[in-house]
Amino acid sequence: IRVDHDRVLPLFMMYQLHFSRAVQYQIESVSSGAIMAGINVSKLKNIIVHVPPIQIQEQFTTLPNRLTNQKLSV
C-alpha cells in the first residue's frame, strides 16, 4: 500500500490496518476469502481510516519505539 506522505505516515497506516477494530471489521466485511482474508485495491480504497494531523501521527508512531527502548534498558 502506498500512502500520500503529506497526509499519512506509513507506520501509522500500518498500525491502523493491523490493530484498529473498526478497520478490521471493514476489511472482514468486504473480504471474500474463506480461508485467508483477501481484499482487492478497489475494495481497499473504500475502507475508512482515521487520519489525524501529521504531528499527532508522529507522536503516536514514536510510542512503540520508546517502549521497546525502555524494555531493553531494564
Side-chain angles (χ1 to χ4, degrees), residues 57-69:
Q57 293 179 50
E58 289 171 343
Q59 290 174 359
F60 177 85
T61 56
T62 60
L63 284 174
N65 290 336
R66 286 193 302 199
L67 291 173
T68 300
N69 291 337

Side-chain angles (χ1 to χ4, degrees), residues 8-9 22 34 36 39-41 46 49 51 54 56 58 60-61 63 72:
V8 64
L9 299 175
M36 179 183 277
I39 185 168
N40 63 33
V41 175
N46 292 322
V49 295
V51 182
I54 290 289
I56 293 173
E58 289 171 343
F60 177 85
T61 56
L63 284 174
L72 293 174

